[in-house]
Amino acid sequence: MKKILHIDSSVRRTDNETASYNSISKGFGRYFIDLWMNKNHQSVVTYRDLSLTPPNFICQDWIAAAFTAEAERTPSQKSILAQSDVYLEEVTKADLIVITAPMYNYGMPAILKAWFDQIMRVNKTFSFDLSRGDFPVEPVLSGKIVVLLTSCGEFGFGAGGVLGADEPFMTTY
């Protein structure tokens, strides 16, 4: 049984009266998960829509808490890291991580970057040791399969468009 973590990061919904207002990336994610579940009935999906519960941005106090040994953290520091701990537990338990991301202003949504910031923790997802010379960072959390489904709202990407492929990978539905 595979455990899937599905992260949506579009601020757009999928239930708009006007279909063209719906999130394309969330549609891709739902399509992928539906296909997966049709072939892998035993899989379990944990779903997180970052637009409904946006991650906190990291701050100076968050960094101080993350770099304080667990046994030495104050109640306040534990509280600051609580959201990060939940996200880390979800990522750690997952075999497959499906992330959907629209492109906003030629980059990822701020809420997705905030989620990544929350899960990037020393000795949890990576280790840092200057004795390794030019490569002090090493992954700790590995062995995950990550699927990134993305969309963009520019023009000309459709079939026959100036930026379109001859055979589109997927069309909107």
Side-chain angles (χ1 to χ4, degrees), residues 24-131:
I24 294 169
S25 62
K26 283 182 180 178
F28 286 166
R30 186 175 44 233
Y31 181 77
F32 179 92
I33 294 295
D34 288 347
L35 283 177
W36 181 276
M37 295 304 289
N38 283 335
K39 295 179 189 247
N40 304 279
H41 305 290
Q42 300 300 317
S43 294
V44 176
V45 179
T46 298
Y47 177 72
R48 182 169 292 281
D49 185 337
L50 299 178
S51 71
L52 298 177
T53 53
N56 297 321
F57 291 113
I58 63 171
C59 61
Q60 179 172 305
D61 292 338
W62 186 97
I63 293 169
F67 282 92
T68 299
E70 271 187 72
E72 298 174 18
R73 287 187 189 135
T74 67
S76 175
Q77 288 177 319
K78 290 176 185 175
S79 177
I80 288 169
L81 293 177
Q83 184 182 57
S84 175
D85 290 339
V86 168
Y87 294 160
L88 274 169
E89 184 177 343
E90 290 173 347
V91 168
T92 301
K93 287 181 177 179
D95 303 302
L96 171 65
I97 302 169
V98 177
I99 300 171
T100 69
M103 185 177 287
Y104 293 153
N105 300 316
Y106 305 102
M108 76 172 81
I111 57 176
L112 183 57
K113 174 62 167 91
W115 180 81
F116 278 116
D117 287 342
Q118 289 286 342
I119 66 167
M120 297 304 295
R121 298 257 303 271
V122 70
N123 299 323
K124 300 279 186 183
T125 51
F126 69 94
S127 66
F128 185 86
D129 185 349
L130 288 174
S131 70

